[in-house]
Structure formats: structure tokens, C-alpha cells
Amino acid sequence: MKAISEILTQVSSVAVIGHVRPDGDCVGACLGLMNYLKLAAPALKVQVYLESFSESFLFLKGAETVSADSCDGQTYDLCIALDASDRERLGAFAGYFDHAGKTVCIDHHITNTGYADIMHVCPQSSSTCQVLYTLMDDAYVDQSAAECLYMGIVHDTGVFRHSNTTRETMEIAGRLMDKGIDFSALIDRTFFEKTYRQNQILGRMLTESVLFMDGLCVFSAMRHKIMEFYQAAPKDLDGIVDQLRVIKGVECAIFLYETAPQEFKVSMRSNKTVDVSRVAAVFGGGGHIRAAGCTMAGTVYDVLNNLSEHIEKQLIEQGLR
Ligand code: AMP
Ligand code: MN
Ligand code: MN
């Protein structure tokens, strides 16, 4: 696929969907595409469906029109899935996908399973927002679409710090800056700003973190009871694993939170050697080489033992153990 316009022939209605627990890239991509289509294809009916997301994204244009309704009875000529590496990641919105006349997936996960009629996956791209921009006609990217896309790039690159940041990332970000966005406020409001509760949780998880494998790995785990104590939602836990990753000497950081009794959502980050997408894929998850996730059953120690085995195997292959 070379351009969004290619997939719009004979299409009058579009459902745009993202992945469960939508992050900045996912929300930015869905709203960025919606705002773009409003200008590029004004006659098109476009509806975005997403689970509840961070309140800090609500200022984006069109955020108030997003529906969380997973069965409103609508069917669409086209369903576009963004930033979702497999069908399961579509969660409750898979119904719109299954019943659409035609399906398209635009993504950047190396573990993408190729589940749509038309696939456009660029694993070398920092973010789905970066991929999307390359498919857009710049003339129809207005300030509101630019804000959304810029936010997605900022979030998936950790503000242009991660190794997925390339010259192309910076060039596209530059073109989006040309649209007159207040990038500095956008970065502060959506990425760095934390609520008091989020900061307390971050502090607690750092205090309780444990180094293992001679300091090459670190983990921290959030139990359901503690989540309840802080009245924390999963979106309040963003950024904890990234702070664990920057501990000196650490190659691989693991953050777990309990989603059900004996069930944990796993987030992994690595620095130089370990391909965490391969580790996550063993347990039915996925992601990128340096950032990946999965859901696993068992106690914290079962989960850690199982992950460690695969991490250590890679460290041994690389001569680090
Ligand atoms: P997270 O640790 O949740 O921030 O996720 C890191 C990366 O891995 C993101 O690109 C996610 O899309 C991906 N990821 C996380 N969990 C899963 C999962 N269960 N299945 C597939 N990909 C995942
Ligand atoms: Mn995402
Ligand atoms: Mn992404």
C-alpha cells in the first residue's frame, strides 16, 4: 500500500479501531486518521472505537466522539485496525473487524501476525503514527491531525530517546511541527505530567524493585491489592518499566501487574542485547525488539522463572553469561 486513498474506493463508511488498553501511539493514530479523513474524504462516515484511555489525551480533536461501545449494531464498508499486532489485541472491537466488507491493518510490530485483508506493517518505524503519516497526503494533514500523530511518535519513542528513533522519525516530526502544534506543551501534558497517585505508585514500585541475574535484570510487581489501595488503573502504571530499564548495568527490565488472581500482564524492556519480542512471543504476546509484553498465569515467581529462562538463553548466546 502506498497511500490511504487506495483503500477508500467504493467505501462510504469506516470503523477505526486500536488495541486493548490503548497507549499514546494507538490513540494518536486513531484520532490522527479520523481528523485526516475529515479533510481528505469529507463524505466518508468515520467512527473510532477505543477502550477508555488516559484523560491527558482528551484534548485531542475528536476525542469526545470516540465510542467504547463494542456492539452498537453498525457494520462498515471498511475497518482499519491500528497499532494492533494480532486479532486478539482488538479486544471487544473485533466484531466490527469481522463484519466489515474489507479490513486493513496498519502497524509497526515485528510480531504482527498478518490478520487483515490488506496489511501494511513497517517494523523499522518508530510508531504506527509514523507509518500513517507516510501514507497520507501532507496537504490534508491539519494542525489537529498533526497533534495526534506527533503525540503517537513522542510516546512510542519515549520523546525521541529510544533506539526506534530514526532520521525519518525526526523528519516526519519536523513536518508535523510545521503545522503549528504546541509540541512542548503536548509533550509535558501527555508524556511527563503525572498525577500525585501515579508518582506515588512509581516511587513504590522502584523501592520494591529487585535486581537479579547478577544485576543484568530487574523486576517489580504490582499486586491487585496494592492497585486497589491506590485505586490505580492500568494506565496509571505507564512509565514504570521504562524507569526500571535505565538502572545502571541493567539489560532487561520486567514489570508485572496482576490482572486476575494468578494472572499477570508483563511489560519488558531491554537495552542492547535481549530481543524481548522473542521472549514475549513464547508466551503468546509480542511487541518490538526493545519493548514487548504478554499475559502470563501463575505466581510472580512462576512468571519470573519462565521469563528468565528465555532471557538467560539469549544472554548466554551473546556471551553475557
Ligand atoms: P507495554 O509493555 O504494554 O508498553 O508494551 C510494549 C510493546 O509490546 C507495545 O508495542 C505493545 O503493543 C506490545 N505488547 C504488549 N503486550 C502485548 C501482548 N499481550 N501481545 C502483543 N503485543 C503486546
Ligand atoms: Mn501501542
Ligand atoms: Mn505503537
Side-chain angles (χ1 to χ4, degrees):
M1 181 158 90
K2 288 221 163 47
I4 300 281
S5 54
E6 281 174 31
I7 54 173
L8 299 180
T9 42
Q10 294 188 319
V11 166
S12 58
S13 62
V14 184
V16 176
I17 59 179
H19 60 73
V20 291
R21 293 186 287 268
D23 53 15
D25 185 31
C26 180
V27 175
C30 291
L31 292 175
L33 178 59
M34 183 184 79
N35 287 318
Y36 173 78
L37 290 173
K38 282 221 165 100
L39 280 187
L44 208 59
K45 177 190 170 214
V46 182
Q47 178 62 53
V48 175
Y49 294 97
L50 283 172
E51 286 181 2
S52 128
F53 50 80
S54 164
E55 281 167 20
S56 66
F57 306 156
L58 284 175
F59 77 97
L60 294 169
K61 189 175 166 197
E64 71 288 351
T65 69
V66 173
S67 170
D69 190 346
S70 58
C71 49
D72 62 11
Q74 298 288 323
T75 53
Y76 294 87
D77 298 335
L78 171 66
C79 179
I80 306 179
L82 297 172
D83 201 41
S85 56
D86 58 66
R87 199 185 157 283
E88 269 68 69
R89 299 271 294 160
L90 302 176
F93 304 122
Y96 298 116
F97 186 86
D98 293 342
H99 296 120
K102 179 164 78 175
T103 58
V104 173
C105 168
I106 300 171
D107 186 30
H108 69 126
H109 289 94
I110 195 165
T111 52
N112 191 296
T113 55
Y115 58 93
D117 301 334
I118 300 169
M119 296 297 308
H120 188 79
V121 184
C122 304
Q124 72 291 349
S125 269
S126 69
S127 50
T128 296
C129 285
Q130 179 176 333
V131 182
L132 259 183
Y133 179 83
T134 65
L135 297 170
M136 289 175 172
D137 177 345
D138 182 75
Y140 298 112
V141 179
D142 67 356
Q143 187 178 324
S144 57
E147 276 176 345
C148 300
L149 299 176
Y150 189 89
M151 186 185 86
I153 295 174
V154 158
H155 280 244
D156 265 19
T157 59
V159 196
F160 309 107
R161 288 176 305 157
H162 300 333
S163 56
N164 57 359
T165 310
T166 60
R167 166 193 280 269
E168 193 193 11
T169 312
M170 301 306 264
E171 283 172 354
I172 290 174
R175 271 181 243 141
L176 296 171
M177 286 166 82
D178 285 346
K179 305 285 177 180
I181 62 174
D182 188 348
F183 54 90
S184 159
L186 188 148
I187 293 170
D188 269 348
R189 281 172 69 181
T190 71
F191 191 86
F192 288 111
E193 190 178 275
K194 301 253 181 235
T195 61
Y196 178 61
R197 183 172 65 194
Q198 285 168 335
N199 249 8
Q200 281 193 310
I201 295 167
L202 170 65
R204 177 158 181 166
M205 287 299 103
L206 296 180
T207 306
E208 292 181 1
S209 67
V210 179
L211 286 172
F212 64 107
M213 252 190 249
D214 300 323
L216 282 171
C217 299
V218 64
F219 84 90
S220 199
M222 181 69 143
R223 313 277 182 167
H224 180 67
K225 254 211 253 167
I226 312 295
M227 296 251 310
E228 268 191 336
F229 173 78
Y230 289 107
Q231 297 194 324
K235 60 195 173 202
D236 293 320
L237 308 175
D238 284 354
I240 295 175
V241 70
D242 302 290
Q243 197 56 42
L244 292 171
R245 177 186 69 85
V246 296
I247 296 170
K248 192 167 181 190
V250 161
E251 166 55 22
C252 187
I254 302 169
F255 177 68
L256 314 175
Y257 73 84
E258 204 171 4
T259 44
Q262 304 260 313
E263 184 190 276
F264 290 88
K265 166 72 177 66
V266 178
S267 279
M268 288 181 282
R269 299 291 184 271
S270 67
N271 278 313
K272 284 202 195 84
T273 340
V274 176
D275 179 346
V276 286
S277 76
R278 268 170 56 200
V279 179
V282 173
F283 302 102
H288 313 282
I289 295 172
R290 301 276 169 257
C294 54
T295 297
M296 291 171 72
T299 66
V300 168
Y301 296 98
D302 293 335
V303 169
L304 283 173
N305 278 334
N306 288 327
L307 292 170
S308 300
E309 186 191 330
H310 294 274
I311 293 167
E312 192 165 31
K313 219 182 267 173
Q314 288 194 36
L315 289 169
I316 291 168
E317 274 167 25
Q318 300 297 321
L320 284 169
R321 263 181 91 73

